[in-house]
Every structure is written in C-alpha cells, then in structure tokens.
Amino acid sequence: MSQVIAADLVLMDVNLATMDPSRAGYGLVEQAALAIKDDKIVWLGAQHELPSLATETPIVPCRGMWLTPGLIDCHTHLVFGGNRADEFEQRLQGVSYQQIAEQGGGIKRTVAATREASEQSLFELAGKYASAMSQQGVTCVEIKSGYGLDLSSEIKMLKVARRLGESLPLQVQTSFLGAHAVPAEYVAQPDSYIDLVCEQMLPQIAQLGLADAVDVFCESIGFSLAQTEKVFNKAQQLGLPVKLHAEQLSNLGGSALAASYNALSVDHIEYLDEAGVRAIAESGTVATLLPGAFYFLRETQKPPIDLLRKYKVPMAIATDFNPGSSPICSLPLMLNMACTLFSLTPLEALQGVTINGAKALGLDAERGSLTVGKQADLALWDISHPNELSYQFGRNTLQQLWQKGKEVNFGGVQ
Ligand code: DI6
Ligand code: FE
C-alpha cells in the first residue's frame, strides 16, 4: 500500500467497540488497529488494511483485548465536604431520607461542611474520588456545584472542579447548581434565594467562566417550575446551556419545561410520563438515568425505559456520585445496575456512558465514540466481548487508558 500515515502511536491486535452511531450496535471492528496523532484518532479499521507507518512509530500490542471510548460520567456532585455515613446508618434503622433532611441533616449538612472546608481540602478529597473514577476507565466527568449555596462557596466548589480538570487526566465539565436546595438563611423566602441565584451568583459565575452549564433541582422538596424557569431564563440570557434534575420523586412537568429550553439533559426521571418523553424526544434532550441513587435510596418507581425507547430518546447513564443519595463512584458498576435495575441491554448501558454521555454534555462532536477526528480518549479492557462490561463487577478489567492521546499512568491499576 502506498499510503503512509503519520502517527504518534498505533494500537495493534485490538478489537474495537467504536460506539460510533453511524455503525450498528457496538460498532464492532475486530482484529483491528487504531492510530493516534497528537490528541486525535487519525485512523482505525481492520489491521490488514492499516496503511504503511513511518518507521519507528511506537506500537502498542493489545493481545486481542477490547478498546472502547474513554467512559463519560455526565452527572456527579463530586466536590463536597465531609460524608454522611452516619445518615446511612440512620436510614438502615428506618429513618427516611426526607426525615433526615427535615431534622437538619441531608444536603444541609453537606452544605455546612462544604462551606467550612478550605478550597485545598475540598480539592484533596475530590481528587481521591476523581482518581478512583479514572482508574475505572473514566476520561470525562461532569461536576456540579450546589453544596455552597452562597456566592463564595459556589465559586470555591467550581474552582476545585476546574483545578481537578487541570491537574488530572480528566476532562471536567462544570454545572452551576446554585438552585440545589434553599440554604438555611433563606428558608423563609425561597424566592429571594432564587433572585440571588439569578441576579448575583449566576452572572458572576458566568463571567468568571466557571460554569459550562446550569442545573436546577426541580422537585417538591427542591424548586418549583416557576423558580426553575427564572433560572433557565437567566442562563439563556448568559448563553449557558441548561439541564435539570427532574421527576425524581414526583412528576412536576420539569422535563417538558427543560425541553422548551432545549436542555442538554433531564436527569433521574423516574416519574416521567409519556407527554414528557414526547417533549424531550422533540427537543433532542438526553434522558440521564441514575441507577445508583435509585438503588441507594431503595426507590421502586423505575424510569419509563420502554417509552424512551419508543420515542428514540438517547439514554445516558451516570453515577450521580454524591454523599447522600449515591455515594458510589464506580461508573462500571452503574452499567450493571442500569441492566439489573432498569432492564437496559448491555449495549444501551455502554452507549449511556460513551456516545450518549457525551451528548448529555454537548460534547458528542469530539468525544464518546472511536471515530477518526475525535479525541483519543481510549479505554482498553481485558474482556472477551463488550457485553462483559455490564456483566461482571469487582475485578477491574481496565488495562490501559489514554486521555487526549496520552497514556494515563496510575502507578498501580492492574
Ligand atoms: N438529587 C440527588 O439525588 C442529590 N441531589 C439531587 O438534587 C442528592 C444530594 C444529597 O443528598 O446530598
Ligand atoms: Fe444529582
């Protein structure tokens, strides 16, 4: 073959689950090779069709293992102070999540601990969780604020998230979730708190470039539709995309509202009805499913998977990692839970943490599949078929990880 490709690295003897939507299913390419130049994928295909390589191009022999896109966790609350293991013990004795919140625990407690913590101590704690994610194949994570609930503490959280992205081999996308809960000092006037979010917090955070998107917890124990709309209007004015915690504990119609603002995603959605599914299908909004929170709160109402399939709504899967409702930072475990708890197929589950996770962050043009021109975020797994990623858990099958074309060095993952 006369064609020669210039590559920095070529993976050989590898099987690809490209997750490329222009191919069917997993987008399998077996006995393949994949070439990287700088931070991009420059060639992939059957190995026998690989063009000539410049001499001395480094080769990674993959011994028939499987390569997927780096995993994407599109919904986390990874930066927070303290933990709530004692509340877990209370819940085991029959006290409900809501009762704990009413007694001053829950989100409020994490807010107090987060306000008190220094930026450095938050960074160190979050760094442990983020590293654990990356050791399990994650190359891109969304991190929300929402445990500060005042301007300086929200800024502190978002700065920590940005620093994680600069210091770890992880793409970090931030979401401003000032409207996560009403802080203690505003309990009597939640609308004044929303005014503060819209008039002061959001504009300053946007100006500092600390938020890639804006999120709200729209729920009977969170914020109403009208309050959500105020925040969305401000976000729109500032040119920031929106997403929503919606229909987690009841059906308020948050998803349809989010769809009317072309939301990137609606998240949780256990109580979403057919009209809501139709609305998000029309707006191209991703449905983000969070089986960890469903499991950890022992919920019983499942998201409307059949309707989401019927209307061809892309489904993403994420950890919702947070200290109260989902203290689980394993995205591979979510693949299994999405299948066992929500009856997704292993293919749908893997789409949920690759191409659809990317879509939920507005990043699908550059991430989420093994496609020429996309970023070389690659995870190599010691498995014999990609359906095994949803099947077993407990043994870390990740063999090697590349982010932006560079191998991630864990010093210990095996
Ligand atoms: N929904 C959740 O599941 C988390 N936040 C939200 O809006 C819970 C956060 C916590 O309990 O700390
Ligand atoms: Fe959440």
PDB file of all heavy atoms in Angstrom, residues 133-157:
ATOM      1  N   MET A 133     -12.351   7.257  39.842  1.00  0.00           N
ATOM      2  CA  MET A 133     -13.139   7.169  38.600  1.00  0.00           C
ATOM      3  C   MET A 133     -12.229   6.883  37.417  1.00  0.00           C
ATOM      4  O   MET A 133     -12.524   6.034  36.574  1.00  0.00           O
ATOM      5  CB  MET A 133     -13.891   8.470  38.372  1.00  0.00           C
ATOM      6  CG  MET A 133     -15.027   8.643  39.346  1.00  0.00           C
ATOM      7  SD  MET A 133     -15.973  10.102  38.941  1.00  0.00           S
ATOM      8  CE  MET A 133     -17.357   9.872  40.072  1.00  0.00           C
ATOM      9  N   SER A 134     -11.133   7.623  37.364  1.00  0.00           N
ATOM     10  CA  SER A 134     -10.250   7.450  36.223  1.00  0.00           C
ATOM     11  C   SER A 134      -9.635   6.046  36.215  1.00  0.00           C
ATOM     12  O   SER A 134      -9.486   5.424  35.158  1.00  0.00           O
ATOM     13  CB  SER A 134      -9.279   8.623  36.216  1.00  0.00           C
ATOM     14  OG  SER A 134      -7.987   8.269  36.090  1.00  0.00           O
ATOM     15  N   GLN A 135      -9.373   5.500  37.383  1.00  0.00           N
ATOM     16  CA  GLN A 135      -8.847   4.126  37.449  1.00  0.00           C
ATOM     17  C   GLN A 135      -9.840   3.093  36.927  1.00  0.00           C
ATOM     18  O   GLN A 135      -9.489   1.948  36.693  1.00  0.00           O
ATOM     19  CB  GLN A 135      -8.464   3.777  38.890  1.00  0.00           C
ATOM     20  CG  GLN A 135      -7.192   4.461  39.318  1.00  0.00           C
ATOM     21  CD  GLN A 135      -6.886   4.269  40.789  1.00  0.00           C
ATOM     22  OE1 GLN A 135      -7.416   3.384  41.430  1.00  0.00           O
ATOM     23  NE2 GLN A 135      -6.033   5.111  41.316  1.00  0.00           N
ATOM     24  N   GLN A 136     -11.101   3.511  36.794  1.00  0.00           N
ATOM     25  CA  GLN A 136     -12.114   2.595  36.259  1.00  0.00           C
ATOM     26  C   GLN A 136     -12.516   2.967  34.833  1.00  0.00           C
ATOM     27  O   GLN A 136     -13.578   2.570  34.353  1.00  0.00           O
ATOM     28  CB  GLN A 136     -13.330   2.570  37.185  1.00  0.00           C
ATOM     29  CG  GLN A 136     -12.959   2.010  38.552  1.00  0.00           C
ATOM     30  CD  GLN A 136     -14.097   2.086  39.545  1.00  0.00           C
ATOM     31  OE1 GLN A 136     -15.054   1.332  39.467  1.00  0.00           O
ATOM     32  NE2 GLN A 136     -14.020   3.030  40.470  1.00  0.00           N
ATOM     33  N   GLY A 137     -11.696   3.771  34.172  1.00  0.00           N
ATOM     34  CA  GLY A 137     -11.911   3.999  32.749  1.00  0.00           C
ATOM     35  C   GLY A 137     -12.560   5.314  32.365  1.00  0.00           C
ATOM     36  O   GLY A 137     -12.846   5.551  31.194  1.00  0.00           O
ATOM     37  N   VAL A 138     -12.793   6.192  33.342  1.00  0.00           N
ATOM     38  CA  VAL A 138     -13.466   7.465  33.040  1.00  0.00           C
ATOM     39  C   VAL A 138     -12.437   8.494  32.548  1.00  0.00           C
ATOM     40  O   VAL A 138     -11.401   8.688  33.182  1.00  0.00           O
ATOM     41  CB  VAL A 138     -14.213   7.988  34.287  1.00  0.00           C
ATOM     42  CG1 VAL A 138     -14.770   9.385  34.047  1.00  0.00           C
ATOM     43  CG2 VAL A 138     -15.340   7.029  34.661  1.00  0.00           C
ATOM     44  N   THR A 139     -12.739   9.132  31.428  1.00  0.00           N
ATOM     45  CA  THR A 139     -11.845  10.179  30.914  1.00  0.00           C
ATOM     46  C   THR A 139     -12.521  11.547  30.897  1.00  0.00           C
ATOM     47  O   THR A 139     -11.881  12.552  30.588  1.00  0.00           O
ATOM     48  CB  THR A 139     -11.369   9.853  29.484  1.00  0.00           C
ATOM     49  OG1 THR A 139     -12.506   9.516  28.694  1.00  0.00           O
ATOM     50  CG2 THR A 139     -10.376   8.703  29.485  1.00  0.00           C
ATOM     51  N   CYS A 140     -13.818  11.588  31.189  1.00  0.00           N
ATOM     52  CA  CYS A 140     -14.550  12.862  31.151  1.00  0.00           C
ATOM     53  C   CYS A 140     -15.646  12.807  32.215  1.00  0.00           C
ATOM     54  O   CYS A 140     -16.390  11.830  32.277  1.00  0.00           O
ATOM     55  CB  CYS A 140     -15.154  13.046  29.754  1.00  0.00           C
ATOM     56  SG  CYS A 140     -16.196  14.490  29.573  1.00  0.00           S
ATOM     57  N   VAL A 141     -15.697  13.824  33.048  1.00  0.00           N
ATOM     58  CA  VAL A 141     -16.680  13.818  34.136  1.00  0.00           C
ATOM     59  C   VAL A 141     -17.318  15.193  34.258  1.00  0.00           C
ATOM     60  O   VAL A 141     -16.646  16.221  34.093  1.00  0.00           O
ATOM     61  CB  VAL A 141     -16.006  13.379  35.464  1.00  0.00           C
ATOM     62  CG1 VAL A 141     -14.921  14.349  35.906  1.00  0.00           C
ATOM     63  CG2 VAL A 141     -17.007  13.201  36.578  1.00  0.00           C
ATOM     64  N   GLU A 142     -18.606  15.195  34.512  1.00  0.00           N
ATOM     65  CA  GLU A 142     -19.300  16.445  34.820  1.00  0.00           C
ATOM     66  C   GLU A 142     -19.336  16.586  36.334  1.00  0.00           C
ATOM     67  O   GLU A 142     -19.535  15.595  37.046  1.00  0.00           O
ATOM     68  CB  GLU A 142     -20.727  16.405  34.261  1.00  0.00           C
ATOM     69  CG  GLU A 142     -21.509  17.687  34.464  1.00  0.00           C
ATOM     70  CD  GLU A 142     -22.552  17.604  35.572  1.00  0.00           C
ATOM     71  OE1 GLU A 142     -22.484  16.681  36.427  1.00  0.00           O
ATOM     72  OE2 GLU A 142     -23.445  18.458  35.592  1.00  0.00           O
ATOM     73  N   ILE A 143     -19.085  17.803  36.830  1.00  0.00           N
ATOM     74  CA  ILE A 143     -19.109  18.054  38.273  1.00  0.00           C
ATOM     75  C   ILE A 143     -19.994  19.269  38.541  1.00  0.00           C
ATOM     76  O   ILE A 143     -19.817  20.325  37.935  1.00  0.00           O
ATOM     77  CB  ILE A 143     -17.682  18.319  38.815  1.00  0.00           C
ATOM     78  CG1 ILE A 143     -16.764  17.107  38.546  1.00  0.00           C
ATOM     79  CG2 ILE A 143     -17.736  18.640  40.306  1.00  0.00           C
ATOM     80  CD1 ILE A 143     -15.321  17.289  39.015  1.00  0.00           C
ATOM     81  N   LYS A 144     -20.930  19.093  39.469  1.00  0.00           N
ATOM     82  CA  LYS A 144     -21.856  20.184  39.785  1.00  0.00           C
ATOM     83  C   LYS A 144     -21.424  20.908  41.049  1.00  0.00           C
ATOM     84  O   LYS A 144     -20.841  20.300  41.951  1.00  0.00           O
ATOM     85  CB  LYS A 144     -23.251  19.614  40.053  1.00  0.00           C
ATOM     86  CG  LYS A 144     -23.821  18.845  38.884  1.00  0.00           C
ATOM     87  CD  LYS A 144     -25.136  18.189  39.262  1.00  0.00           C
ATOM     88  CE  LYS A 144     -25.541  17.142  38.245  1.00  0.00           C
ATOM     89  NZ  LYS A 144     -25.742  17.659  36.897  1.00  0.00           N
ATOM     90  N   SER A 145     -21.765  22.169  41.130  1.00  0.00           N
ATOM     91  CA  SER A 145     -21.688  22.869  42.411  1.00  0.00           C
ATOM     92  C   SER A 145     -22.994  22.538  43.154  1.00  0.00           C
ATOM     93  O   SER A 145     -23.661  21.569  42.832  1.00  0.00           O
ATOM     94  CB  SER A 145     -21.541  24.376  42.180  1.00  0.00           C
ATOM     95  OG  SER A 145     -22.742  24.905  41.648  1.00  0.00           O
ATOM     96  N   GLY A 146     -23.361  23.312  44.150  1.00  0.00           N
ATOM     97  CA  GLY A 146     -24.654  23.085  44.782  1.00  0.00           C
ATOM     98  C   GLY A 146     -24.585  22.691  46.248  1.00  0.00           C
ATOM     99  O   GLY A 146     -25.615  22.463  46.883  1.00  0.00           O
ATOM    100  N   TYR A 147     -23.350  22.616  46.804  1.00  0.00           N
ATOM    101  CA  TYR A 147     -23.228  22.424  48.246  1.00  0.00           C
ATOM    102  C   TYR A 147     -22.618  23.667  48.896  1.00  0.00           C
ATOM    103  O   TYR A 147     -22.137  23.615  50.022  1.00  0.00           O
ATOM    104  CB  TYR A 147     -22.362  21.199  48.569  1.00  0.00           C
ATOM    105  CG  TYR A 147     -23.000  19.870  48.247  1.00  0.00           C
ATOM    106  CD1 TYR A 147     -22.367  18.968  47.399  1.00  0.00           C
ATOM    107  CD2 TYR A 147     -24.227  19.503  48.806  1.00  0.00           C
ATOM    108  CE1 TYR A 147     -22.929  17.730  47.114  1.00  0.00           C
ATOM    109  CE2 TYR A 147     -24.804  18.270  48.520  1.00  0.00           C
ATOM    110  CZ  TYR A 147     -24.151  17.394  47.678  1.00  0.00           C
ATOM    111  OH  TYR A 147     -24.708  16.176  47.399  1.00  0.00           O
ATOM    112  N   GLY A 148     -22.614  24.773  48.144  1.00  0.00           N
ATOM    113  CA  GLY A 148     -22.115  26.024  48.698  1.00  0.00           C
ATOM    114  C   GLY A 148     -23.307  26.917  49.040  1.00  0.00           C
ATOM    115  O   GLY A 148     -23.471  27.388  50.155  1.00  0.00           O
ATOM    116  N   LEU A 149     -24.150  27.127  48.025  1.00  0.00           N
ATOM    117  CA  LEU A 149     -25.384  27.895  48.152  1.00  0.00           C
ATOM    118  C   LEU A 149     -25.172  29.325  48.647  1.00  0.00           C
ATOM    119  O   LEU A 149     -26.099  29.951  49.141  1.00  0.00           O
ATOM    120  CB  LEU A 149     -26.422  27.159  49.031  1.00  0.00           C
ATOM    121  CG  LEU A 149     -26.696  25.692  48.662  1.00  0.00           C
ATOM    122  CD1 LEU A 149     -27.827  25.128  49.531  1.00  0.00           C
ATOM    123  CD2 LEU A 149     -27.059  25.522  47.184  1.00  0.00           C
ATOM    124  N   ASP A 150     -23.950  29.819  48.556  1.00  0.00           N
ATOM    125  CA  ASP A 150     -23.705  31.263  48.623  1.00  0.00           C
ATOM    126  C   ASP A 150     -22.609  31.519  47.589  1.00  0.00           C
ATOM    127  O   ASP A 150     -21.942  30.572  47.138  1.00  0.00           O
ATOM    128  CB  ASP A 150     -23.325  31.758  50.033  1.00  0.00           C
ATOM    129  CG  ASP A 150     -22.039  31.156  50.562  1.00  0.00           C
ATOM    130  OD1 ASP A 150     -21.100  30.922  49.765  1.00  0.00           O
ATOM    131  OD2 ASP A 150     -21.953  30.897  51.777  1.00  0.00           O
ATOM    132  N   LEU A 151     -22.461  32.774  47.197  1.00  0.00           N
ATOM    133  CA  LEU A 151     -21.587  33.045  46.053  1.00  0.00           C
ATOM    134  C   LEU A 151     -20.170  32.521  46.268  1.00  0.00           C
ATOM    135  O   LEU A 151     -19.639  31.804  45.418  1.00  0.00           O
ATOM    136  CB  LEU A 151     -21.580  34.546  45.736  1.00  0.00           C
ATOM    137  CG  LEU A 151     -20.705  34.934  44.543  1.00  0.00           C
ATOM    138  CD1 LEU A 151     -21.188  34.260  43.263  1.00  0.00           C
ATOM    139  CD2 LEU A 151     -20.665  36.448  44.365  1.00  0.00           C
ATOM    140  N   SER A 152     -19.570  32.841  47.414  1.00  0.00           N
ATOM    141  CA  SER A 152     -18.156  32.475  47.554  1.00  0.00           C
ATOM    142  C   SER A 152     -17.984  30.960  47.645  1.00  0.00           C
ATOM    143  O   SER A 152     -17.024  30.405  47.113  1.00  0.00           O
ATOM    144  CB  SER A 152     -17.519  33.187  48.748  1.00  0.00           C
ATOM    145  OG  SER A 152     -18.124  32.721  49.929  1.00  0.00           O
ATOM    146  N   SER A 153     -18.910  30.277  48.296  1.00  0.00           N
ATOM    147  CA  SER A 153     -18.755  28.814  48.417  1.00  0.00           C
ATOM    148  C   SER A 153     -19.042  28.109  47.093  1.00  0.00           C
ATOM    149  O   SER A 153     -18.421  27.091  46.779  1.00  0.00           O
ATOM    150  CB  SER A 153     -19.671  28.264  49.508  1.00  0.00           C
ATOM    151  OG  SER A 153     -19.493  28.975  50.703  1.00  0.00           O
ATOM    152  N   GLU A 154     -19.981  28.649  46.313  1.00  0.00           N
ATOM    153  CA  GLU A 154     -20.235  28.055  44.988  1.00  0.00           C
ATOM    154  C   GLU A 154     -19.008  28.253  44.086  1.00  0.00           C
ATOM    155  O   GLU A 154     -18.599  27.355  43.361  1.00  0.00           O
ATOM    156  CB  GLU A 154     -21.480  28.685  44.352  1.00  0.00           C
ATOM    157  CG  GLU A 154     -22.793  28.243  44.983  1.00  0.00           C
ATOM    158  CD  GLU A 154     -23.150  26.792  44.689  1.00  0.00           C
ATOM    159  OE1 GLU A 154     -23.308  26.448  43.510  1.00  0.00           O
ATOM    160  OE2 GLU A 154     -23.274  26.003  45.639  1.00  0.00           O
ATOM    161  N   ILE A 155     -18.417  29.439  44.175  1.00  0.00           N
ATOM    162  CA  ILE A 155     -17.197  29.705  43.390  1.00  0.00           C
ATOM    163  C   ILE A 155     -16.082  28.761  43.831  1.00  0.00           C
ATOM    164  O   ILE A 155     -15.373  28.177  43.005  1.00  0.00           O
ATOM    165  CB  ILE A 155     -16.771  31.188  43.521  1.00  0.00           C
ATOM    166  CG1 ILE A 155     -17.744  32.065  42.740  1.00  0.00           C
ATOM    167  CG2 ILE A 155     -15.330  31.405  43.037  1.00  0.00           C
ATOM    168  CD1 ILE A 155     -17.483  33.555  42.836  1.00  0.00           C
ATOM    169  N   LYS A 156     -15.978  28.570  45.143  1.00  0.00           N
ATOM    170  CA  LYS A 156     -14.929  27.680  45.674  1.00  0.00           C
ATOM    171  C   LYS A 156     -15.096  26.274  45.092  1.00  0.00           C
ATOM    172  O   LYS A 156     -14.128  25.662  44.626  1.00  0.00           O
ATOM    173  CB  LYS A 156     -15.051  27.660  47.206  1.00  0.00           C
ATOM    174  CG  LYS A 156     -14.071  26.765  47.917  1.00  0.00           C
ATOM    175  CD  LYS A 156     -14.108  26.975  49.445  1.00  0.00           C
ATOM    176  CE  LYS A 156     -15.401  26.470  50.073  1.00  0.00           C
ATOM    177  NZ  LYS A 156     -15.449  26.588  51.531  1.00  0.00           N
ATOM    178  N   MET A 157     -16.314  25.759  45.082  1.00  0.00           N
ATOM    179  CA  MET A 157     -16.551  24.409  44.543  1.00  0.00           C
ATOM    180  C   MET A 157     -16.188  24.322  43.064  1.00  0.00           C
ATOM    181  O   MET A 157     -15.569  23.355  42.614  1.00  0.00           O
ATOM    182  CB  MET A 157     -18.039  24.033  44.670  1.00  0.00           C
ATOM    183  CG  MET A 157     -18.513  23.735  46.070  1.00  0.00           C
ATOM    184  SD  MET A 157     -20.233  23.137  46.036  1.00  0.00           S
ATOM    185  CE  MET A 157     -20.032  21.480  45.393  1.00  0.00           C
TER     186      MET A 157
END
